[in-house]
C-alpha cells in the first residue's frame, strides 16, 4: 500500500491543515473588514484578508496568481482606497455614519448570496477533476496565455475604472477645498 493510497479525509496533510487555518484567519479578517465602524481599520483588515487569499494561492501552488494578488489587490487597490479616504476627508476615527442600522437585512442577503454561490460552484464542479500530472495551472506561462488571450479587455476596463475612481476622489476633495476657501473669504469680508 503506497503513501498516496493511505491518505484520506481523516488524515490531512500539513498543507491541508495550513490551508484550513489560513482560510479561517482570512474569513475572520473579512468579517472584521465589513463590521468595523472605523474606515481606516477596515482598509487595514482588508489587507489581511487579501493577503490571506494570496497565501491560499501559494498553498495551491499558483505562485504567479499569488503575486498578482499581492501586487494588484493588496498593493494597488488598498492604496487607492486609503488615498480615497484621505482625499475625500472621510472620518478617520469611529464614524456613526458607518452604520445604517440595516445589519439584519444585510446579514440575510450575505448568507443567501454565500449559499447561492457555494451551491452554484459545487454544482458546476462536482464532476471536475484536476489533472495533477499535466502542466501546473497556476504557472506563469498558463496564466499569461489565458490572461492575454481571453481576459485583456476586462483587465483594461478594471484599470480604467480604478483610474476614474482616483480622479473622482481628487475632484471631490477639490470641491470641498474650494467651498472652504470661499467661506473663509466671505467671513473676512464681513469683519
Amino acid at each position: 500500500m503506497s503513501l498516496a493510497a493511505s491518505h484520506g479525509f481523516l488524515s490531512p496533510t500539513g498543507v491541508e491543515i495550513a490551508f484550513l487555518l489560513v482560510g479561517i484567519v482570512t474569513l475572520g479578517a473579512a468579517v472584521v473588514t465589513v463590521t468595523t465602524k472605523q474606515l481606516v481599520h477596515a482598509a487595514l483588515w482588508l489587507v489581511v484578508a487579501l493577503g490571506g487569499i494570496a497565501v491560499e494561492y501559494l498553498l495551491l501552488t499558483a505562485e504567479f496568481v499569488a503575486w498578482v494578488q499581492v501586487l494588484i489587490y493588496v498593493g494597488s487597490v488598498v492604496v487607492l482606497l486609503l488615498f480615497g479616504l484621505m482625499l475625500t476627508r472621510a472620518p478617520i476615527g469611529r464614524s456613526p455614519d458607518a452604520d445604517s442600522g440595516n445589519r439584519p437585512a444585510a446579514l440575510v442577503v450575505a448568507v443567501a448570496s454565500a449559499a447561492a454561490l457555494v451551491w452554484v460552484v459545487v454544482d458546476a464542479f462536482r464532476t471536475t477533476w484536476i489533472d495533477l500530472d499535466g502542466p501546473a495551472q497556476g504557472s506563469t506561462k498558463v496564466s499569461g496565455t489565458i490572461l492575454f488571450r481571453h481576459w485583456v479587455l476586462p483587465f483594461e476596463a478594471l484599470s480604467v475604472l480604478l483610474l476614474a475612481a482616483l480622479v473622482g476622489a481628487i475632484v471631490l476633495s477639490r470641491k470641498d477645498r474650494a467651498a472652504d476657501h470661499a467661506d473663509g473669504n466671505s467671513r473676512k469680508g464681513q469683519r
Side-chain angles (χ1 to χ4, degrees):
M1 180 185 263
S2 69
L3 182 63
S6 67
H7 176 68
F9 178 71
L10 296 177
S11 60
T13 64
V15 173
E16 291 170 343
I17 292 170
F19 188 86
L20 182 65
L21 292 175
V22 170
I24 290 170
V25 170
T26 303
L27 181 64
V31 168
V32 173
T33 298
V34 297
T35 57
T36 186
K37 292 184 180 181
Q38 296 186 1
L39 296 176
V40 174
H41 288 183
L44 296 176
W45 280 108
L46 182 63
V47 169
V48 174
L50 294 174
I53 292 172
V55 171
E56 297 284 35
Y57 284 135
L58 283 175
L59 291 172
L60 291 172
T61 65
E63 294 87 8
F64 176 71
V65 179
W67 290 116
V68 167
Q69 171 81 16
V70 169
L71 292 174
I72 303 284
Y73 289 104
V74 176
S76 303
V77 172
V78 173
V79 167
L80 182 67
L81 178 67
L82 289 173
F83 275 137
L85 288 174
M86 289 186 293
L87 290 174
T88 59
R89 297 183 185 172
I92 300 298
R94 285 191 168 268
S95 174
D97 297 335
D99 193 10
S100 68
N102 291 328
R103 284 183 185 249
L107 181 64
V108 168
V109 170
V111 168
S113 299
L117 181 65
V118 167
W119 180 73
V120 166
V121 169
V122 167
D123 187 53
F125 295 105
R126 180 171 292 155
T127 59
T128 303
W129 297 96
I130 298 173
D131 181 20
L132 297 177
D133 295 329
Q137 293 297 315
S139 69
T140 307
K141 182 178 180 181
V142 173
S143 299
T145 302
I146 291 172
L147 178 67
F148 290 115
R149 184 173 296 155
H150 303 292
W151 297 103
V152 172
L153 188 60
F155 188 76
E156 291 301 321
L158 179 63
S159 65
V160 170
L161 177 70
L162 292 174
L163 179 64
L166 181 61
V167 170
I170 292 170
V171 168
L172 287 175
S173 70
R174 298 271 179 185
K175 285 183 181 177
D176 289 343
R177 288 182 186 163
D180 291 345
H181 185 67
D183 288 342
N185 286 341
S186 65
R187 288 181 189 153
K188 286 180 184 177
Q190 291 176 354
R191 290 184 188 176

